[in-house]
């Protein structure tokens, strides 16, 4: 993916909540990319989720997930 695209812009809209030694983050990330082979820029918005736990005084990721919504089915 990075070999084929140049990232032009990335924006995150996320919420984090922490309780004790666990933290949960969720939201969206919108990335605008320029194909290196030419063509129009492409923008993609994905859902993001991250779960972390504090271990030995440091935060460690337990899960980090991003998923793109599926296109609408043809009518």
């Amino acid at each position: 993916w990075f070999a084929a695209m140049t990232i032009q812009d990335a924006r995150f809209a996320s919420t984090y909540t922490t309780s004790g030694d666990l933290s949960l983050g969720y939201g969206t990330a919108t990335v605008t990319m320029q194909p290196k082979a030419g063509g129009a820029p492409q923008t993609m918005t994905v859902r993001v989720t991250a779960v972390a736990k504090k271990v030995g005084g440091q935060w460690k990721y337990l899960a980090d997930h991003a998923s793109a919504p599926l296109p609408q089915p043809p009518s």
Side-chain angles (χ1 to χ4, degrees):
W1 189 67
F2 286 114
M5 299 287 188
T6 299
I7 305 302
Q8 292 182 317
D9 187 46
R11 297 178 187 267
F12 299 90
S14 301
T15 299
Y16 281 88
T17 195
T18 301
S19 179
D21 63 353
L22 290 175
S23 183
L24 167 67
Y26 56 91
T28 59
T30 301
V31 179
T32 301
M33 309 157 280
Q34 176 68 48
K36 290 180 180 179
Q42 302 171 14
T43 300
M44 177 175 38
T45 298
V46 297
R47 296 179 302 260
V48 294
T49 306
V51 180
K53 180 175 180 157
K54 192 178 262 189
V55 178
Q58 296 183 340
W59 288 101
K60 307 288 183 176
Y61 276 109
L62 300 177
D64 189 14
H65 174 77
S67 60
L70 295 173
Q72 293 292 324
S75 52

